[in-house]
């Protein structure tokens, strides 16, 4: 089948991609949650803290965030499931620069916070149970003028 429609330019990147080849650490963990974990998702240690990760979901979980899931190519998930299925070995960027989805405009240098409702990264003020500060000390190193993609630096 011939490709008859293509863009003039490529997208700048996608959520979960490494930003550059600067120093980074990627650790492997098993997905604890039954419905899985998404790409470029903030994660906290799971029930088995040495081997598992899960999504932050409660007030105070932002402080427990250890990193962000890195994109790898795998089979498409089942309908209604997130990208990485339960028990899958997921790569987690615990130090370094990674593209993430923002919940609004952000500026380079802003501290990155996590919006619990949808898992996006924002610069909004911290509000317990709604917008959480990240325990991994992330900040934005690129800007965007609306919800979209930006780079955070962890660690």
């Amino acid at each position: 089948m011939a490709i008859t429609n293509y863009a003039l330019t490529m997208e700048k990147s996608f959520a979960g991609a490494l930003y550059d080849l600067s120093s980074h650490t990627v650790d492997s963990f098993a997905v604890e949650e039954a419905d899985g974990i998404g790409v470029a998702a903030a994660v906290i240690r799971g029930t088995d803290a040495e081997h598992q990760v899960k999504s932050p979901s409660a007030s105070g979980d932002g402080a427990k965030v250890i990193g962000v899931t890195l994109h790898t190519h795998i089979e498409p998930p089942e309908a209604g499931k997130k990208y990485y299925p339960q028990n899958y070995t997921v790569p987690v960027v615990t130090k370094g620069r990674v593209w993430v989805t923002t919940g609004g405009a952000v500026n380079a240098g802003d501290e990155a916070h996590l919006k619990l409702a949808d898992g996006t990264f924002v610069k909004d003020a911290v509000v317990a149970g709604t917008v959480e500060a990240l325990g991994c000390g992330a900040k934005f190193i690129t800007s965007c003028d609306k919800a979209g993609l930006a780079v955070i630096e962890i660690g």
Side-chain angles (χ1 to χ4, degrees), residues 10-154:
M10 292 175 46
E11 294 291 327
K12 60 184 168 187
S13 191
F14 54 89
L18 282 176
Y19 175 63
D20 59 19
L21 295 178
S22 60
S23 177
H24 59 276
T25 302
V26 179
D27 294 311
S28 297
F29 296 91
V31 175
E32 178 177 341
E33 294 167 287
D35 66 341
I37 289 179
V39 175
V43 292
I44 62 175
R45 292 190 184 273
T47 304
D48 179 348
E50 184 177 351
H51 299 109
Q52 293 178 317
V53 289
K54 61 184 180 180
S55 300
S57 60
S59 182
D61 278 355
K64 300 175 189 174
V65 169
I66 61 167
V68 173
T69 57
L70 185 65
H71 179 273
T72 58
H73 296 286
I74 64 171
E75 290 291 322
E78 297 175 31
K81 301 281 184 171
K82 295 179 183 167
Y83 192 74
Y84 294 113
Q86 184 178 31
N87 298 321
Y88 188 85
T89 301
V90 63
V92 177
V93 178
T94 55
K95 179 184 177 199
R97 299 171 173 182
V98 63
W99 288 93
V100 296
T101 304
T102 67
V106 298
N107 299 307
D110 289 340
E111 189 174 321
H113 299 143
L114 179 66
K115 191 172 180 182
L116 288 176
D118 60 9
T120 59
F121 293 83
V122 296
K123 68 175 183 178
D124 303 351
V126 172
V127 178
T130 306
V131 176
E132 299 271 325
L134 298 175
C136 60
K139 66 177 181 177
F140 290 102
I141 62 166
T142 64
S143 304
C144 65
D145 58 1
K146 59 183 178 183
L149 292 176
V151 176
I152 62 169
E153 184 167 28
I154 301 167

